[in-house]
């Protein structure tokens, strides 16, 4: 029914207003005191085969919501009640920023894909911090693992990037279960240049130092998010850096600037303009990056795979390639409110069919 609605109605509603309306429904249903717990009782992952231990944390299920959907942490609990084992908020920047001019979010329905050039539109770390503090002050059953994704403020020059990321880590790190440094969006000028090892190392070192300062005895896991567009050599370089710095893991991968192999007519794609492409077209390369990372990272380092995951089979392939956790954004947009619960249920069946009693047993069994 949701697919039919997407084909006939939602595809004709501009994407960003549709997102706001859909997110309002999520918050109204999942966040309501009377209704939310009943929603969680039906949809939150409860099958023991789905329980996942990664990053020193316990996840009720391996599927999380990728950064970009809940930029300002306005629906964390509601999204967890729909069935996500983790919710990664953000990307949050040190300074508030409106993002790029609208329209800036577009659907490619034939490709089950999105193009966005949002530009890290968010309220800024100082605005998001009290919301996270409130979540931590009043713990609720069913709260998902909370990831915090931080990025560079557009107005901050590259030479000051480390200080900008450090400020966000200081404001938000104390409330996070894990923190992701995003250096891979194509929509902030110069951001992807920070993926080069010589720029990335001091940045990650600064964030690690700040997290340790603000969290004291509690060590917050730190990961870096890379783009699907990195060459194999650059993936290898990031993996080597992650090992050298003792990062807790890598989130792979962010959107692509490529438009190769799309079903949507080329003139229609060109008319949308610049932006990062997400969804089904990323699946093959994202899978390959997971396998490459798994062969180069320390076995204790976690891979979170994102990009083109549409169903349980796709998530299972990433797990068997070496990802302990998976994330989705576009798959959720096209799949609808029941999609995360359905994916977890079907993933549990796949795990059991192959004789696994938990996710950890399946991680990396097909790695190169």
């Amino acid at each position: 029914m949701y697919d039919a609605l997407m084909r006939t109605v939602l595809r004709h509603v501009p994407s960003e207003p549709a997102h706001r309306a859909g997110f309002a429904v999520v918050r109204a249903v999942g966040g309501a005191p009377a209704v939310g717990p009943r929603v969680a009782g039906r949809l939150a992952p409860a099958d023991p085969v789905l329980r996942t231990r990664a990053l020193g944390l316990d996840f009720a299920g391996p599927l999380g919501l990728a950064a970009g959907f809940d930029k300002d942490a306005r629906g964390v609990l509601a999204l967890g009640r729909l069935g996500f084992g983790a919710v990664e908020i953000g990307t949050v920047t040190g300074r508030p920023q409106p993002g790029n001019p609208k329209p800036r979010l577009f659907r490619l329905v034939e490709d089950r894909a999105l193009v966005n050039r949002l530009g890290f539109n968010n309220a800024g770390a100082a605005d998001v911090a009290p919301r996270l503090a409130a979540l931590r002050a009043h713990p609720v059953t069913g709260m998902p693992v909370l990831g915090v994704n931080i990025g560079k403020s557009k107005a901050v020059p590259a030479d000051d990037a480390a200080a900008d990321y450090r400020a966000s880590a200081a404001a938000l790190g104390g409330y996070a279960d894990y923190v992701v440094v995003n250096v891979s969006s194509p929509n902030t000028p110069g951001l992807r240049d920070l993926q080069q090892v010589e720029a990335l190392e001091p940045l990650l070192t600064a964030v690690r130092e700040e997290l340790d300062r603000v969290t004291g005895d509690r060590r917050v896991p730190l990961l870096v998010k890379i783009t699907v567009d990195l060459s194999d050599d650059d993936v290898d370089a990031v993996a080597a850096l992650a090992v050298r710095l003792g990062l807790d893991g890598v989130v792979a991968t962010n959107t692509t600037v490529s438009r190769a192999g799309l079903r949507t007519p080329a003139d229609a794609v060109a008319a949308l303009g610049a932006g990062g492409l997400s969804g089904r077209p990323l699946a093959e390369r994202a899978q390959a990056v997971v396998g490459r990372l798994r062969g180069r990272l320390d076995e204790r380092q976690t891979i979170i795979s994102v990009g083109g995951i549409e169903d349980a089979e796709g998530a299972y392939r990433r797990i068997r390639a070496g990802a302990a956790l998976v994330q989705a954004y576009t798959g959720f947009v096209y799949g609808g409110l029941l999609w995360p619960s359905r994916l977890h249920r079907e993933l549990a069946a796949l795990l059991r069919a192959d004789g696994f009693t938990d996710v950890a047993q399946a991680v990396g069994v097909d790695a190169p």
Side-chain angles (χ1 to χ4, degrees), residues 150-197:
I150 58 176
K152 187 181 81 68
S153 303
K154 185 176 181 179
V156 170
D159 290 346
D160 296 330
D164 189 51
Y165 278 94
R166 185 188 282 270
S168 294
L172 305 174
Y175 309 115
D177 289 317
Y178 69 88
V179 169
V180 177
V181 168
N182 186 352
V183 288
S184 51
S185 169
N187 299 315
T188 296
L191 183 70
R192 287 188 167 194
D193 294 340
L194 298 177
Q195 291 176 111
Q196 301 305 311
V197 167

Side-chain angles (χ1 to χ4, degrees), residues 262-288:
L262 297 178
R263 296 180 180 179
T264 305
D267 57 344
V269 174
L272 301 180
L277 178 76
S278 64
R280 180 183 291 170
L282 275 64
E284 183 176 352
R285 177 58 181 167
Q287 174 90 16

Side-chain angles (χ1 to χ4, degrees), residues 7 40 64 70-71 76 78 87 95 99 189 208 221 269 335:
R7 288 193 303 270
D70 187 1
K71 291 178 176 292
V76 174
V87 173
R95 304 180 187 181
R208 178 73 271 167
V269 174

Side-chain angles (χ1 to χ4, degrees), residues 19-203:
H19 170 78
R20 289 196 298 269
F23 194 16
V25 171
V26 168
R27 297 197 303 273
V29 173
V35 179
R38 285 187 288 172
V39 171
R42 294 180 63 88
L43 300 182
D47 193 320
V49 77
L50 294 170
R51 292 173 187 163
T52 306
R53 180 77 178 172
L55 301 171
L57 304 166
D58 293 314
F59 296 75
L63 174 66
L65 181 62
F69 193 94
D70 187 1
K71 291 178 176 292
D72 294 323
R74 297 184 181 278
V76 174
L77 177 59
L79 289 160
R81 285 170 169 171
L82 291 184
F84 287 108
V87 173
E88 190 172 306
I89 66 144
T91 296
V92 183
T93 53
R95 304 180 187 181
Q97 53 190 43
N100 292 321
K102 300 176 184 179
R104 54 192 181 180
L105 180 63
F106 311 92
R107 302 185 201 93
L108 277 61
V109 177
E110 292 83 354
D111 293 288
R112 303 282 285 191
L114 298 172
V115 170
N116 95 80
R117 53 173 174 271
L118 293 166
F120 288 169
N121 56 310
N122 74 106
D127 184 89
V128 173
R131 215 165 288 126
L132 298 186
L135 285 173
R136 293 308 190 197
H138 305 287
V140 178
T141 301
M143 180 71 69
V145 171
L146 174 63
V148 174
N149 185 300
I150 58 176
K152 187 181 81 68
S153 303
K154 185 176 181 179
V156 170
D159 290 346
D160 296 330
D164 189 51
Y165 278 94
R166 185 188 282 270
S168 294
L172 305 174
Y175 309 115
D177 289 317
Y178 69 88
V179 169
V180 177
V181 168
N182 186 352
V183 288
S184 51
S185 169
N187 299 315
T188 296
L191 183 70
R192 287 188 167 194
D193 294 340
L194 298 177
Q195 291 176 111
Q196 301 305 311
V197 167
E198 60 273 14
L200 187 57
E201 182 166 0
L203 192 158

Side-chain angles (χ1 to χ4, degrees), residues 276-315:
L277 178 76
S278 64
R280 180 183 291 170
L282 275 64
E284 183 176 352
R285 177 58 181 167
Q287 174 90 16
V289 171
V290 169
R292 194 165 190 92
L293 285 171
R294 189 68 281 157
R296 288 157 178 80
L297 293 174
D298 186 284
E299 63 180 10
R300 294 168 294 180
Q301 292 176 302
T302 296
I303 299 170
I304 303 179
S305 182
V306 57
I309 293 176
E310 296 186 279
D311 53 30
E313 288 81 3

